């Protein structure tokens, strides 16, 4: 069954960790060769990727901008997986509350970015067109890599793939050596958040069968920000279990069963519970997610084909359930809303790939997804304990369905020129039932989308690249039918008349893949039409301002992205990034700054491999002041109306290889104890922080 109680999940996590520790103390007899340590596998610009082309290909040779974040950086992340995206070309992280965060790509956010886990959609019908918490319901400690594709990719992925695609991929145990086993125990602890991470993973492969299991438990206390102040309502807990079973049936292909489950039993909505900018009291007396949960099961099959057109087939079916339960009560009110919200998604896809002697690598595919939302709300009088049924956040029984056909051709015209063209037809259907006095809604949206890119070699290792694409985002259940209290002292009402928002984006750039120096630089411009935005209706519901989603905006976003890896000497290397985005929106004929645009930001990381045992690193992460604020920014208690101040955070760290099996790590983050806030975030960043880590492989 897909569903598992939180007690069972936590107990399983503890059991797996106990088994792992016992195995280590017993000195496992089947230990595989330890994985290569200190690999430079984070933020690689020339790594092999699959997201942009659907088949493995060197990202340095294609036109699309792709960064691969490898396991080292993923496993060093403090808490949730999104921490690994800080300092990545094209990405900016916003954190509404600890335990929940979102990534901005080229000014896009929320459901304007497609999130995938092992190729299956994480985006659901209740995804907000704004920062949301669902990214954190993926266990980053159990991932093999993360691929960040920037720019419109709707030619392959359809709705939501406007700003880009984030594809989170777990390891495949069939890649292990035959008759081998591999285990790892990982611990992390820090001082500024009382962070404790425990992780176990074990994998083994026989002649035809392979398996991998992992468990992660995360406990975080209240955060100390720069200057030493402790922020209340900033603790959280997360427990994850993952398993992958794989069977190589040879002529009948490879089969993989993938199961994942992540719980956050209690997460506070920090920015609702503490006064923000322009507030003397907090908006809410109660604002918690109890619990957040994602459960996922996937069956995948891959096989070779022996015909003249296609050489490979991949197919998958999967089921995902996202539980989004909440409690909320406005400050001074006696009525507490208790919500149970669940989105259950079932989906599947099939992909045929091939190549020919003319230099064409091509794929054609089809996919279908269906989901249903169950939502209930009870308002409980805290004085009497009496509850009454109320309108749910989402109309109960809402259904969202989609299907699509797509194709891509990657044509290597000659040794210098590579051209990619992709197209897709998508169909979306919404069926939202009547809720109270609000009429039911049925919407059918279909769209053609596509993109093309060209990469031209102009010198040894250097390519000029360009991409143009048309993307779209069909309104989902959240856009059309969400109802009730929203952050920033707002109350949302539904809109049955929404239509898809569209985007046309162009970028040009240069990529260089050299022996010692790799870099990519892009300039981009994106034009949104019929952009879905939240506007004030001019009415109030109690003390909250009434808002509604409408197709009311044209937006232009443009900017530059730069990332590099530079080997200074045999034992020294430098990584860095720089991102700048600027945007304007037109609403009712009036032009203003676009909403929640990240400031100019940059990172620089210097690494020194002193010998086989010691590695040192020093880095800086920085952002400039952002005082170009939209009207919505100015009314958001999370954002200083005078603008978010610029900041720079300095870190140092070391990794010591105690032996072939054990690595010890130590890091000092935010050495200067700088008090700062990432633009749009609901809480100040962590102050001076001492982080200890142990990685034990056997």
């Amino acid at each position: 069954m897909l569903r598992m109680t939180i007690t069972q999940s936590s107990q399983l996590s503890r059991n797996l960790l106990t088994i792992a520790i016992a195995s280590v103390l017993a000195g496992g007899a089947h230990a595989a060769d330890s994985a290569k340590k200190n690999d430079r596998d984070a933020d690689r610009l020339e790594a092999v990727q699959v997201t942009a082309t659907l088949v493995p290909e060197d990202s340095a040779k294609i036109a699309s901008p792709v960064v691969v974040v490898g396991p080292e950086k993923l496993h060093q992340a403090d808490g949730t997986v999104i921490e690994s995206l800080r300092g990545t070309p094209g990405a900016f992280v916003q954190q509404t509350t600890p335990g929940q965060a979102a990534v901005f790509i080229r000014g896009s956010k929320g459901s304007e970015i497609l999130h995938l886990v092992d190729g299956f959609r994480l985006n659901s019908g209740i995804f907000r067109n704004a920062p949301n918490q669902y990214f954190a319901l993926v266990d980053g400690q159990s991932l093999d890599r993360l691929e960040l594709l920037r720019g419109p990719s709707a030619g392959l992925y359809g709705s939501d793939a406007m700003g880009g695609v984030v594809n989170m991929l777990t390891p495949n145990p069939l890649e292990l050596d035959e008759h081998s086993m591999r285990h790892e125990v990982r611990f992390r602890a820090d001082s500024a958040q009382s962070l404790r991470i425990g992780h176990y993973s074990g994998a083994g492969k026989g002649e035809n069968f392979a398996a991998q299991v992992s468990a992660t438990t995360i406990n975080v206390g209240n955060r100390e920000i720069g200057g030493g102040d402790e922020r209340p309502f900033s603790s959280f807990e997360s427990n994850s279990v993952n398993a992958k079973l794989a069977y190589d049936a040879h002529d009948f292909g490879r089969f993989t069963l993938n199961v994942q489950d992540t719980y956050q039993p209690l997460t506070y909505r920090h920015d609702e519970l503490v006064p923000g900018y322009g507030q003397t009291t907090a908006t809410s007396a109660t604002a918690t997610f109890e619990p957040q949960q994602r459960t996922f099961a996937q069956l995948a099959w891959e096989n070779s084909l022996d015909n003249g057109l296609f050489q490979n087939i991949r197919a998958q079916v999967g089921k995902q359930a996202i539980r989004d339960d909440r409690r909320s009560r406005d400050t001074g009110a006696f009525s507490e809303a208790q919500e149970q919200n669940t989105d259950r998604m079932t989906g599947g896809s099939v992909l045929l790939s091939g190549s020919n002697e003319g230099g064409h690598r091509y794929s054609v595919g089809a996919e279908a997804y269906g989901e249903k939302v169950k939502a209930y709300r009870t308002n409980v009088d805290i004085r009497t304990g009496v509850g009454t049924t109320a309108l749910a956040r989402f109309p109960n029984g809402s259904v969202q369905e989609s299907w699509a056909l797509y194709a891509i051709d990657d044509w290597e015209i000659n040794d210098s020129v590579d051209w990619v063209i992709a197209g897709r037809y998508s169909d979306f259907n919404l069926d939202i039932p009547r809720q109270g006095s609000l009429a039911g809604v049925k919407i059918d949206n279909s769209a053609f989308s596509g993109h093309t890119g060209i990469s031209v070699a102009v010198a040894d290792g250097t390519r000029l690249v360009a991409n143009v694409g048309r993307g779209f985002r069909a309104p989902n259940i959240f856009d059309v039918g969400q109802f009730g209290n929203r952050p920033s002292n707002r109350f949302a009402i539904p809109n049955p008349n929404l239509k898809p928002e569209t985007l046309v984006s162009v970028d040009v750039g240069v990529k260089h893949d050299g022996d010692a120096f790799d870099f990519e630089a892009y300039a981009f411009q994106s034009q949104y039409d019929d952009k879905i935005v939240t506007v004030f209706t001019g009415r109030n519901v109690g003390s909250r301002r009434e808002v509604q989603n409408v197709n009311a905006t044209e937006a232009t976003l443009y900017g530059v992205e730069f990332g590099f890896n530079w080997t200074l000497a045999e034992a020294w290397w430098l990584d860095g990034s720089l991102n700048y985005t600027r945007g304007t929106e037109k609403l009712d004929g009036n032009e203003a700054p676009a909403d929640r645009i990240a400031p100019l930001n940059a990172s620089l990381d210097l690494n020194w491999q002193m010998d086989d045992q010691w590695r040192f690193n020093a880095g800086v992460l920085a952002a400039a002041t952002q005082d170009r604020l939209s009207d919505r920014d100015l009314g958001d208690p999370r954002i200083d109306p005078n603008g978010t101040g610029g900041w720079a955070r300095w870190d140092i760290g070391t990794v010591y290889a105690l032996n072939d099996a054990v690595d010890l790590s130590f890091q000092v983050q935010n050495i200067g104890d700088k008090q700062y806030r990432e633009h749009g975030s609901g809480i100040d960043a962590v102050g001076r922080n001492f982080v200890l880590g142990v990685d034990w492989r056997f």
Side-chain angles (χ1 to χ4, degrees):
M1 294 177 63
L2 278 177
R3 199 161 179 80
M4 180 186 297
T5 68
I6 186 169
T7 302
Q8 291 170 323
S9 178
S10 300
Q11 185 63 47
L12 182 53
S13 298
R14 289 192 292 269
N15 290 345
L16 286 171
L17 288 171
T18 301
I19 292 170
I21 295 169
S23 299
V24 172
L25 296 177
H30 298 287
D33 293 337
S34 63
K36 182 180 179 181
K37 299 185 295 296
N38 302 329
D39 284 342
R40 294 177 53 195
D41 59 1
D43 287 351
R44 303 306 295 161
L45 302 175
E46 78 284 8
V48 173
Q49 59 76 49
V50 298
T51 306
T53 54
L54 300 181
V55 295
E57 190 167 356
D58 189 343
S59 61
K61 296 180 180 179
I62 62 174
S64 300
V66 184
V67 171
V68 179
V69 178
E72 182 180 6
K73 190 171 183 180
L74 286 165
H75 301 163
Q76 290 290 342
D78 300 337
T80 59
V81 60
I82 201 168
E83 306 292 334
S84 64
L85 287 176
R86 284 190 170 90
T88 300
F92 186 79
V93 173
Q94 182 263 14
Q95 187 173 63
T96 295
T97 193
Q100 300 177 355
V103 62
F104 286 60
I105 303 176
R106 294 187 172 182
S108 297
K109 57 192 180 297
S111 55
E112 297 169 347
I113 298 167
L114 180 61
H115 303 71
L116 302 172
V117 181
D118 288 319
F120 192 94
R121 292 176 68 95
L122 176 64
N123 290 40
S124 69
I126 59 176
F127 247 59
R128 292 195 300 277
N129 182 15
N132 57 64
Q133 69 273 27
Y134 306 115
F135 206 134
L137 298 180
V138 179
D139 180 16
Q141 296 292 321
S142 296
L143 294 177
D144 177 62
R145 69 187 190 277
L146 182 153
E147 296 183 2
L148 179 69
L149 170 62
R150 286 116 57 201
S153 307
L156 291 178
Y157 295 103
S159 181
D160 300 5
M162 301 177 76
V165 178
V166 179
N167 194 6
M168 294 164 275
L169 299 159
T170 55
N172 184 353
L174 284 174
E175 301 303 321
L176 293 173
D177 293 333
E178 198 169 290
H179 302 297
S180 67
M181 295 184 68
R182 182 178 65 194
H183 305 267
E184 183 170 6
V185 177
R186 185 180 309 124
F187 296 100
R188 298 284 183 269
D190 79 3
S191 61
Q193 303 177 98
S194 300
L195 169 76
R196 301 293 183 269
I197 297 178
H199 172 80
Y200 163 74
S201 65
K205 182 183 178 183
E207 184 174 349
N208 300 315
F209 181 79
Q212 176 156 334
V213 296
S214 65
T216 303
T217 180
I218 302 173
N219 285 275
V220 177
N222 282 339
R223 171 178 295 188
E224 287 187 10
I225 63 173
D229 288 344
E230 182 178 295
R231 307 307 292 153
F233 308 114
S234 58
S235 61
F236 75 94
E237 176 186 348
S238 181
N239 298 288
S240 300
V241 290
N242 299 269
K244 184 176 281 190
L245 307 177
Y247 179 69
D248 188 347
H250 301 290
D251 291 343
F252 297 98
R254 289 182 165 193
F255 296 85
T256 305
L257 176 63
N258 185 11
V259 180
Q260 304 173 12
D261 187 272
T262 296
Y263 280 98
Q264 288 188 359
L266 172 63
T267 307
Y268 295 99
R269 181 66 193 249
H270 174 85
D271 63 310
E272 286 276 297
L273 295 168
V274 298
Y277 295 101
Q279 295 180 319
T280 56
T281 59
T283 300
S284 300
T286 302
T288 58
F289 298 88
E290 296 186 50
Q292 297 284 284
Q293 175 190 1
R294 172 181 170 269
T295 307
F296 173 59
Q298 176 192 48
L299 179 63
W301 171 66
E302 181 175 4
N303 199 15
S304 298
L305 299 176
D306 186 16
N307 62 54
L309 185 59
F310 298 107
Q311 289 86 52
N312 187 269
I313 182 170
R314 298 203 308 264
Q316 65 159 333
V317 292
K319 189 173 182 66
Q320 174 180 271
I322 291 180
R323 183 179 174 188
D324 184 1
D325 292 358
R326 313 184 187 201
R327 289 196 305 123
S328 59
R329 177 169 63 90
D330 287 350
T331 298
F334 297 105
S335 179
E336 179 181 276
Q338 299 179 359
E339 302 180 38
Q340 295 83 43
N341 306 301
T342 303
D343 180 282
R344 298 183 184 278
M345 176 192 294
T346 302
S349 64
V350 61
L351 180 72
L352 295 162
S353 301
S355 62
N356 61 29
E357 295 179 355
H360 292 271
R361 294 182 297 274
Y362 45 83
S363 300
V364 297
E367 70 175 33
Y369 286 89
E371 53 191 299
K372 188 172 185 178
V373 171
K374 294 291 186 182
Y376 308 95
R377 187 200 306 250
T378 302
N379 290 336
V380 178
D381 191 315
I382 62 171
R383 298 166 297 184
T384 64
V386 176
T388 57
T389 301
L391 291 178
R393 180 175 297 268
F394 312 105
N396 183 45
S398 295
V399 173
Q400 179 170 300
E401 297 176 332
S402 68
W403 64 269
L405 301 173
Y406 54 94
I408 180 173
D409 181 29
D410 182 355
W411 183 17
E412 190 172 343
I413 299 174
N414 53 43
D415 291 340
S416 299
V417 181
D418 187 83
W419 180 37
V420 172
I421 184 168
R424 176 178 175 121
Y425 176 80
S426 304
D427 185 80
F428 274 79
N429 293 278
L430 287 181
D431 188 350
I432 298 178
R434 182 182 184 89
Q435 180 172 264
S437 61
L438 302 174
V441 179
K442 290 188 177 183
I443 299 178
D444 184 359
N445 288 310
S446 60
F448 285 97
S449 54
H451 68 265
T452 186
I454 190 166
S455 170
V456 181
V458 294
D460 187 20
T462 302
R463 289 178 172 267
L464 298 180
V465 295
N467 299 276
V468 59
R470 180 187 186 275
F472 79 103
R473 190 180 75 84
N476 60 15
I477 294 169
F478 177 89
D479 296 313
V480 177
Q482 61 90 25
F483 182 89
N485 291 349
R486 295 289 309 279
S488 306
N489 202 36
R490 297 174 296 160
F491 185 93
I493 62 173
N495 181 1
N497 299 314
L498 282 180
K499 58 184 179 179
E501 56 184 6
T502 60
L503 165 145
V504 174
S505 182
V506 177
D507 63 44
V508 294
V510 58
K511 289 185 175 185
H512 178 74
D513 182 12
D515 293 334
F517 187 61
D518 311 319
F519 77 90
E520 64 176 29
Y522 281 84
F524 68 88
Q525 177 170 305
S526 302
Q527 179 65 48
Y528 285 83
D529 289 314
D530 295 320
K531 187 172 174 62
I532 298 173
V533 294
T534 303
V535 299
F536 299 115
T537 65
R539 300 183 294 269
N540 288 335
V541 178
S543 62
R544 291 178 176 261
R545 296 176 294 174
E546 186 180 88
V547 297
Q548 185 180 50
N549 286 337
V550 297
N551 294 102
T553 304
E554 295 179 2
T556 302
L557 305 177
Y558 56 93
V560 294
E561 304 162 342
F562 176 72
F564 74 94
N565 313 121
W566 186 9
T567 302
L568 303 171
E570 184 176 354
W572 294 82
W573 67 92
L574 191 67
D575 300 325
S577 67
L578 183 144
N579 305 302
Y580 174 72
T581 305
R582 189 178 178 92
T584 58
E585 291 183 347
K586 289 183 179 180
L587 179 62
D588 297 329
N590 299 315
E591 187 170 286
D595 183 40
R596 276 188 238 189
I597 298 299
L600 172 70
N601 59 91
S603 68
L604 196 63
D605 193 38
L606 177 65
N607 295 269
W608 175 35
Q609 186 75 50
M610 187 177 76
D611 54 32
D612 289 341
Q613 288 186 296
W614 287 98
R615 186 181 72 186
F616 299 90
N617 72 284
V620 59
L621 186 67
T625 297
Q626 178 56 288
D627 53 11
R628 291 192 79 249
L629 305 179
S630 68
D631 289 341
R632 179 177 173 180
D633 292 337
L634 291 169
D636 191 332
R638 292 170 289 188
I639 300 175
D640 188 333
N642 295 314
T644 302
W647 51 270
R649 188 189 92 181
W650 296 85
D651 304 331
I652 58 172
T654 184
V655 177
Y656 174 66
L658 185 65
N659 52 44
D660 287 342
V662 179
D663 288 344
L664 306 177
S665 61
F666 175 70
Q667 187 178 32
V668 185
Q669 300 173 342
N670 195 0
I671 297 171
D673 202 26
K674 174 74 173 178
Q675 183 178 351
Y676 70 94
R677 178 173 293 200
E678 293 171 297
H679 183 63
S681 295
I683 186 171
D684 286 352
V686 176
R688 184 183 296 115
N689 192 22
F690 301 94
V691 186
L692 294 172
V694 179
D695 292 79
W696 196 345
R697 299 169 299 278
F698 61 100

